[in-house]
Amino acid sequence: MKNLKLLVLLLITVFSFSCTKLEQNQRGALNIESSTVNAAGLLQSAYETLNNPFQDQSRFWAASEHTTDEAIGPTRGPDWDDNGVWRVLHNHTWNADHQFLSDTYRELLQAQFAASSVLDKSPTPQQAAEARFIRALSMFAVLDGWDQVPFRSDLKDLKKLPEIKKGAAAADFIISELNAIINDLPAGSSSNIIKANKNAARVLMMKLYLNKGVYANRATPTFAAGDMQQVITLADQITGYSLSSNFYDNFSPDNSTKSTEIIYALENTNGVRGGNNQSRWYCTLHYNQRPSGWNGFTTLSDFYDKFEATDKRRGDSYTGVTNVSGLRVGLLVGQQFDQNGTALKDRSGAPLSFTRDVKIKETGTNLEVTGIRVIKYPPDYAKEFPAENEYVIFRWADVMLMKAEALLRTGNAAAGLAIVNQIRANRGATALASLTADNLLDERGRELYWEGWRRNDLVRFGKYLNAYQEKPASTSERLLFPIPNEQLAVNPALKQNPGY
């Protein structure tokens, strides 16, 4: 197994799925120790390839959140400049050499390669289905961000260029893949969340049907009634879940046993499988809080103001965290305290009191306190690094909100409103009087903030190009990320997206 992991690590580190010469070389390396490679080991490695592109704070999460009204990475004097990579994300001024976007694209393609490798090793039907789900999930992310998805049906002839799947046709292909494997996947339940499962496949199909009109025309999407009905039908097929009594149980260190909502998550278990989920609190907490953070990312006051004061999603205490360190969960603004109620200070000795105001380039004497901080995942104090909070990809509340949206888009706003108000009641918010596209988008923001869905939502609702805090209005080419120049250099089948 050690040899297998070393081999696969070599493969996915230097391999770009869309290359030709590199593919041939790495295929030869794979064959060198073919006797030590089996489907089970490769499947484990395929799951692990999802960790960095989805869990790291600089990968798909950054592309999905920093480019929106939910997150900003301010440059704090000499800190957090990083050659402007965070500023250009929020301002929509990235180019085809943006390192984080390039790394994300490459790593998502590597996940596809790792999943396809499983299919070459005589897997069981379930192993093959799990591998194809992993591949479908990574293809969905590439489609959503870049539109052009290099794909190989097998890895036997790497001299051939991969096929490039695009737009609604790519969505249809991924849906066909999911339909082909669903009977061979294990059943989904709140006790089976870290393996690909039937319900996870259904949620991914819901995402594809909900966004198919976007992938056909991102600037002016339309939403076919048949696609919306598929969303509703799939939602009705997902059973066995309920809203958690405590919102933050969905993200806690023991969320695999506490949450009643999680449908699919990436496993974080010491010595077994894990990623970088602790970055979700390191990236935002101050140095003098516990855990000591990097004093980086924040949300914005306009987003904070979308929440009612009674809404637990805006902020709350959490047993196992607040009583241990004083840290609250949710959105942190104002004076911060330790577990004894003692007011914390920043490194200069001034009060550690987070402000509503934040600028994309900060100067002055308050660099350490600007911006409302976000703690969606309660820190794991027992195993802080690596933490054992499972990283949530799909959960029940998202299924409910997608069904509500499909109902709204097919003229049944009353049924959609009932679903939304069920969620709001559970979270401590008052009922909405009516359901509109605008307040449904806001509700998705309140429920799913910092979970990596905001860009997808803003594009679908036609708000992604708008001006918002610390961002001017942007032009239509920003609805897609550019194909990285490093990929264009090795794969002539790829073409740069318009406007770049």
Side-chain angles (χ1 to χ4, degrees):
M1 181 58 71
K2 181 178 180 181
N3 289 338
L4 169 63
K5 287 190 174 182
L6 287 172
L7 174 63
V8 174
L9 179 62
L10 170 67
L11 183 65
I12 65 175
T13 299
V14 302
F15 184 107
S16 172
F17 190 90
S18 59
C19 295
T20 54
K21 189 176 182 72
L22 278 177
E23 287 171 339
Q24 296 169 45
N25 292 341
Q26 293 307 314
R27 182 66 177 182
L30 184 63
N31 288 333
I32 290 172
E33 297 189 49
S34 60
S35 62
T36 67
V37 180
N38 57 47
L42 286 174
L43 181 60
Q44 172 78 354
S45 296
Y47 275 113
E48 290 177 358
T49 61
L50 296 174
N51 286 333
N52 214 57
F54 283 99
Q55 295 198 57
D56 190 88
Q57 79 280 354
S58 68
R59 297 299 195 263
F60 195 62
W61 181 85
S64 302
E65 294 290 348
H66 276 269
T67 64
T68 77
D69 59 347
E70 282 189 358
I72 188 171
T75 298
R76 300 179 183 276
D79 293 335
W80 285 100
D81 179 72
D82 296 333
N83 295 317
V85 290
W86 306 110
R87 295 195 301 273
V88 301
L89 284 178
H90 193 72
N91 279 330
H92 289 200
T93 55
W94 55 76
N95 61 29
D97 290 313
H98 192 283
Q99 192 59 58
F100 293 161
L101 292 176
S102 298
D103 290 343
T104 304
Y105 189 87
R106 184 183 65 254
E107 290 175 6
L108 289 168
L109 298 184
Q110 288 167 349
Q112 291 177 44
F113 174 81
S116 294
S117 296
V118 178
L119 307 179
D120 274 358
K121 291 296 175 181
S122 302
T124 66
Q126 180 175 320
Q127 288 170 336
E130 290 181 51
R132 290 169 73 180
F133 172 84
I134 293 168
R135 188 170 67 182
L137 178 60
S138 60
M139 291 179 73
F140 164 75
V142 174
L143 169 62
D144 194 67
W146 291 264
D147 191 58
Q148 298 182 53
V149 188
F151 176 77
R152 294 185 185 278
S153 57
D154 64 64
L155 305 178
K156 291 182 175 62
D157 186 0
L158 297 176
K159 295 178 182 178
K160 293 181 179 178
L161 289 173
E163 179 185 356
I164 306 300
K165 296 187 178 296
K166 297 180 63 175
D172 285 336
F173 174 79
I174 301 170
I175 290 168
S176 71
E177 280 281 285
L178 294 166
N179 278 319
I181 64 174
I182 196 163
N183 289 335
D184 291 323
L185 287 171
S189 70
S190 58
S191 61
N192 177 30
I193 64 171
I194 58 173
K195 276 192 172 185
N197 59 73
K198 286 180 170 62
N199 286 331
R202 292 182 178 113
V203 181
L204 185 49
M205 280 194 278
M206 289 178 69
K207 293 285 183 186
L208 288 155
Y209 279 117
L210 193 63
N211 289 283
K212 198 196 291 191
V214 175
Y215 302 146
N217 186 335
R218 297 185 190 237
T220 55
T222 57
F223 302 91
D227 291 338
M228 297 303 100
Q229 186 55 54
Q230 289 282 3
V231 173
I232 296 165
T233 299
L234 286 162
D236 291 342
Q237 292 171 357
I238 299 172
T239 59
Y241 307 90
S242 61
L243 295 172
S244 293
S245 57
N246 188 315
F247 177 66
Y248 298 98
D249 284 349
N250 296 309
F251 313 98
S252 69
D254 49 358
N255 58 349
S256 60
T257 56
K258 275 188 174 179
S259 173
T260 58
E261 292 187 36
I262 300 176
I263 295 170
Y264 177 63
L266 302 183
E267 181 182 9
N268 288 301
T269 301
N270 280 294
V272 179
R273 199 161 79 206
N276 188 24
N277 64 328
Q278 58 274 356
S279 70
R280 288 304 175 276
W281 55 81
Y282 285 153
C283 72
T284 190
L285 288 178
H286 185 269
Y287 314 109
N288 290 343
Q289 290 180 287
R290 182 178 170 206
S292 178
W294 304 332
N295 199 49
F297 307 156
T298 80
T299 191
L300 294 143
S301 59
D302 284 354
F303 180 72
Y304 178 85
D305 290 341
K306 294 180 185 296
F307 293 81
E308 294 176 320
T310 59
D311 194 330
K312 299 295 185 182
R313 297 170 297 189
R314 192 180 81 167
D316 203 0
S317 60
Y318 193 74
T319 301
V321 174
T322 311
N323 58 308
V324 172
S325 67
L327 182 69
R328 288 170 61 86
V329 289
L331 309 183
L332 309 184
V333 64
Q335 178 65 51
Q336 303 300 297
F337 299 89
D338 70 11
Q339 68 275 19
N340 300 313
T342 303
L344 297 174
K345 299 181 182 298
D346 69 12
R347 292 183 298 176
S348 71
L352 185 62
S353 182
F354 296 137
T355 68
R356 289 171 52 88
D357 295 330
V358 65
K359 301 294 182 184
I360 203 162
K361 283 192 88 167
E362 289 285 5
T363 58
T365 60
N366 64 342
L367 299 176
E368 296 186 16
V369 298
T370 52
I372 300 166
R373 311 308 169 92
V374 181
I375 298 296
K376 192 74 176 271
Y377 282 79
D380 184 351
Y381 289 113
K383 297 176 181 175
E384 187 174 319
F385 189 88
E388 293 204 342
N389 317 56
E390 317 294 17
Y391 186 76
V392 179
I393 302 294
F394 299 137
R395 62 185 178 91
W396 176 239
D398 192 5
V399 171
M400 296 175 69
L401 288 170
M402 286 193 287
K403 180 179 178 181
E405 182 178 339
L407 288 165
L408 177 65
R409 294 191 187 279
T410 51
N412 194 351
L417 177 64
I419 293 171
V420 170
N421 280 338
Q422 181 184 350
I423 295 171
R424 289 179 61 81
N426 178 273
R427 309 315 194 201
T430 60
L432 298 177
S434 62
L435 189 65
T436 66
D438 285 345
N439 65 20
L440 178 55
L441 175 62
D442 285 347
E443 192 62 29
R444 285 191 61 82
R446 286 185 286 263
E447 181 64 29
L448 299 166
Y449 67 87
W450 279 40
E451 292 183 53
W453 295 113
R454 188 60 170 176
R455 174 186 168 276
N456 176 273
D457 288 344
L458 288 177
V459 171
R460 190 171 65 257
F461 282 83
K463 300 293 183 69
Y464 186 65
L465 302 177
N466 291 1
Y468 34 83
Q469 276 180 284
E470 295 299 294
K471 172 199 173 290
S474 45
T475 48
S476 60
E477 79 278 357
R478 300 293 146 171
L479 294 169
L480 286 173
F481 297 122
I483 303 300
N485 282 330
E486 65 181 35
Q487 298 291 329
L488 294 173
V490 297
N491 185 358
L494 289 167
K495 306 298 179 187
Q496 186 54 272
N497 284 324
Y500 290 104

